[in-house]
Amino acid sequence: WIAERVDTRPLAEVSGLEGYALGARAYAVRCGKCHVPGGYRDMTSTLAGLDAQGVSEFLDSAGEMSEEMPPYTGDATEREALVGYLLELTARGAK
């Protein structure tokens, strides 16, 4: 019953967001509950120095990092936006 009511549309479609705003929303939904920029489990130092390809590869391996860490499941549009957001966040130093 619950599974039939879960919205499985891509986050961009559900939210109507794109670019940086979509990346920020993707972070909040998929990452931000466990990884707080500048705080608890901050990943910016891990991502520092990576380019877009490196961050994307990091997302590919996310589910293998620990038992608690789920694999990244966003679509290509969301991934691209999230990568851009993470690069900006890392460049700012998670402020």
Side-chain angles (χ1 to χ4, degrees):
W1 183 85
I2 291 174
E4 292 174 1
R5 284 150 181 77
V6 172
D7 191 343
T8 58
R9 295 176 297 162
L11 190 54
E13 183 181 335
V14 172
S15 67
L17 300 171
E18 57 186 39
Y20 184 85
L22 175 59
R25 181 70 180 139
Y27 187 88
V29 169
R30 300 196 187 276
C31 312
K33 294 187 178 22
C34 297
H35 300 282
V36 179
Y40 185 69
R41 291 186 177 166
D42 181 6
M43 294 299 291
T44 54
S45 63
T46 302
L47 301 174
L50 296 179
D51 60 6
Q53 181 178 345
V55 173
S56 187
E57 289 171 0
F58 178 84
L59 292 176
D60 287 338
S61 65
E64 301 165 10
M65 292 181 189
S66 72
E67 192 173 300
E68 304 85 32
M69 182 88 160
Y72 179 76
T73 58
D75 68 5
T77 300
E78 180 184 317
R79 173 187 286 264
E80 182 179 344
L82 179 58
V83 167
Y85 175 77
L86 290 170
L87 288 171
E88 170 98 11
L89 189 69
T90 301
R92 291 194 311 223
K95 295 178 185 171

